[in-house]
Amino acid sequence: MDQSLLEALHVRMEGSGKKILVLAHGFGTDQSAWKHILPFFVRDYRVVLYDLVCAGSVNPDTFNFGRYTSLDAYVDDLLHILDALGVDRCAYVGHSISAMIGILASIRRPELFTKLILIGASPRFLNDEDYHGGFEHGEIEKVLLAMKSNYEAWVNGFAPLSVGADVPIAVREFSLTLFNMRPDIALFVSHTVFSSDLRGVLGLVKVPCSIIQTAKDVSVPISVATYLKNQLGGRSTVLMLDTEGHLPHLSAPNMLVEKLRLALSG
C-alpha cells in the first residue's frame, strides 16, 4: 500500500536540511504550484512534495469515488506518506483544501507536527447565521452547475478570478492544472469541499498555527482568517499578505516566501 501510494501520488523529497517541511497543494493545482517557493527552502529543509489524489497529474483511475467522500481519506493519504518516509516531526504548509487536511491530521497525530501554516484556509465556505464563509447556498449551486455544464468555460472564468492579481502567467499556470483535472473528479471534489464544515473541531488543534491571508481572496473573506485564529485551540497568528488572490504561491511567491520564513521561525 505505502509504496504504491507514494508512486501514484508522485511523492518526492528535495533538499538537504535536517528539518522536514511538507508542502501540500490545494484544489485545482498539483505539486508544481510550489516551484517558485521550493528553491528558497531546500538548503535548510528536506522538503516533502506530493500530489493530492484528485490532482490532474495523478492517474484518474487512482481516484476512488467511494473512498474520497470526505477529507478524512485525504488525511489518511498524508499520514501514510509521512509514515512511509519515516517522518516523525515536520512543519506543514497547506494551501486551500490541504490547509484543512493538515488541521485534521494534526488532531489525529499532534506529535507529528511542529507547526501548521495555513494558506487560503476555510473551515466552511457556506454562510451561516453567525458565520460569514463567503458563499450563499445558491451561489455554490451555481458554481457546481457551471462546472457540470461547461467545464472549459468555467475554468476560463474561475482561474483569473481566483488568481485575483493581474499576473497573466499565474492565471495560465492555474488554468493548465485545472484543465488537467478530469471534470467529473473536479466536480466531485468541489462537492466534498463545499459541504465540509470543520468549525466544530478547530478547538481540538493544539499545534501552533500561522494563517496566511491575502488582502482580497474571492474564495476566503478576511473574516474567516480571524475566525480561525479565534477558534483554533493552539497558539495562532494571522499574517496578512499585501496582495490579492487565492494563490499567492503562484502570483506573489517572493512576498509569500517572506511570510513563510517568518512563520517557520516563530
Side-chain angles (χ1 to χ4, degrees):
M1 165 66 180
D2 286 345
Q3 205 50 46
S4 61
L5 184 76
L6 265 61
E7 286 168 14
L9 303 185
H10 309 128
V11 175
R12 63 192 177 105
M13 203 178 247
E14 301 277 338
S16 53
K18 283 194 170 68
K19 291 179 286 191
I20 306 278
L21 177 67
V22 179
L23 298 179
H25 72 84
F27 172 81
T29 60
D30 56 37
Q31 63 180 268
S32 70
W34 300 110
K35 65 185 175 200
H36 309 297
I37 305 296
L38 181 63
F40 292 95
F41 294 98
V42 287
R43 195 192 66 191
D44 297 322
Y45 294 88
R46 276 180 296 151
V47 183
V48 176
L49 297 133
Y50 74 105
D51 293 333
L52 294 176
V53 69
C54 58
S57 50
V58 173
N59 182 337
D61 294 340
T62 312
F63 190 85
N64 181 334
F65 287 89
R67 181 167 175 245
Y68 292 98
T69 51
S70 77
L71 295 182
D72 288 320
Y74 296 88
V75 177
D76 292 339
D77 287 352
L78 170 62
L79 295 175
H80 269 302
I81 289 166
L82 297 179
D83 288 342
L85 294 174
V87 173
D88 55 9
R89 294 285 277 163
C90 67
Y92 175 93
V93 179
H95 173 244
S96 120
I97 180 177
S98 279
M100 295 299 104
I101 292 165
I103 278 175
L104 291 170
S106 82
I107 293 170
R108 257 199 246 174
R109 302 269 299 276
E111 76 290 344
L112 254 183
F113 303 95
T114 54
K115 184 81 182 251
L116 299 180
I117 300 174
L118 313 170
I119 304 169
S122 176
R124 176 183 161 105
F125 287 95
L126 264 172
N127 295 333
D128 208 352
E129 275 179 34
D130 53 352
Y131 172 80
H132 181 61
F135 294 86
E136 292 297 335
H137 190 73
E139 292 173 302
I140 285 175
E141 289 303 313
K142 269 188 196 161
V143 170
L144 297 173
L145 188 62
M147 290 177 79
K148 197 173 184 178
S149 55
N150 189 333
Y151 185 70
E152 187 178 345
W154 173 77
V155 169
N156 287 330
F158 177 67
L161 207 59
S162 230
V163 169
D166 184 20
V167 187
I169 191 164
V171 175
R172 278 201 304 277
E173 286 175 350
F174 188 39
S175 300
L176 189 66
T177 50
L178 276 167
F179 279 131
N180 280 344
M181 290 182 85
R182 211 171 70 187
D184 59 330
I185 293 175
L187 183 64
F188 187 85
V189 175
S190 296
H191 264 291
T192 303
V193 170
F194 280 136
S195 58
S196 291
D197 187 351
L198 270 57
R199 291 176 300 169
V201 301
L202 297 176
L204 302 175
V205 178
K206 302 304 182 195
V207 175
C209 295
S210 288
I211 301 145
I212 296 181
Q213 174 79 22
T214 62
K216 187 184 177 194
D217 180 339
V218 70
S219 299
V220 184
I222 289 176
S223 58
V224 171
T226 309
Y227 179 87
L228 279 171
K229 181 187 186 310
N230 293 338
Q231 298 297 320
L232 286 162
R235 184 168 51 85
S236 59
T237 52
V238 175
L239 300 171
M240 292 301 299
L241 274 183
D242 188 19
T243 186
E244 280 189 30
H246 188 59
L247 301 114
H249 44 326
L250 292 181
S251 60
N254 291 353
M255 201 183 286
L256 179 61
V257 163
E258 276 181 42
K259 298 295 184 189
L260 288 175
R261 283 192 168 137
L262 190 62
L264 288 164
S265 66

